[in-house]
Amino acid sequence: PPSPSPSQSKRPHEHHGSKHHQRPYKRRTIGNHKKRLTTEEVKTSGRWDRAVQVEAGLQRSLARLQNQEQSGHHAPSVEPISFPSIRDCNSALATFGDGGDL
C-alpha cells in the first residue's frame, strides 16, 4: 500500500535523528576575520601607507599609458609599463574603504 502523505500522517515531523531544529544556525566564516579597526587605526597603520603607494603607482602607470596613446606610440616602449598587482589594488581598495575614503 502507498505510504500516507505528510498531511495524512499521524506522527510528528521526523528527521531520522537529525537535531537541526534544536540547534541555532551558526554562520561559517571564511578566513581569519579580525575585529574591525576604527578609521583612525586604519589611517595610522602600515596598511594605509601601502594603499597610498599602490594608488600612486597606479596613477603613474595610467598617466604613462595615456601619454603613449596621445603621442601615437602604439609599439611597446623600451621599458614596459608596470601596474600594481590585482591583489595589491584589492587590498588598497579595502583599506580605503575601512578608512572611510571611498
Side-chain angles (χ1 to χ4, degrees), residues 65-82:
L65 183 64
Q66 288 170 339
N67 286 340
Q68 277 186 0
E69 287 181 354
Q70 288 174 356
S71 66
H73 294 158
H74 295 290
S77 63
V78 176
E79 187 179 323
I81 299 173
S82 176

Side-chain angles (χ1 to χ4, degrees), residues 25-99:
Y25 176 73
K26 183 177 180 184
R27 254 178 108 148
R28 294 185 338 173
T29 58
I30 298 173
N32 297 327
H33 294 284
K34 298 177 183 175
K35 84 170 185 75
R36 189 171 198 110
L37 299 175
T38 65
T39 300
E40 192 57 36
E41 288 171 328
V42 170
K43 289 188 174 184
T44 58
S45 73
R47 285 177 45 204
W48 187 263
D49 293 337
R50 177 68 184 134
V52 170
Q53 290 173 354
V54 169
E55 181 184 30
L58 184 59
Q59 289 173 343
R60 278 191 306 272
S61 298
L62 284 172
R64 201 164 155 216
L65 183 64
Q66 288 170 339
N67 286 340
Q68 277 186 0
E69 287 181 354
Q70 288 174 356
S71 66
H73 294 158
H74 295 290
S77 63
V78 176
E79 187 179 323
I81 299 173
S82 176
F83 284 86
S85 72
I86 302 257
R87 180 173 286 179
D88 286 342
C89 291
N90 285 340
S91 177
L93 283 171
T95 300
F96 290 140
D98 290 346

Side-chain angles (χ1 to χ4, degrees), residues 18-24:
S18 172
K19 296 181 182 182
H20 77 266
H21 284 290
Q22 298 170 7
R23 288 187 220 154

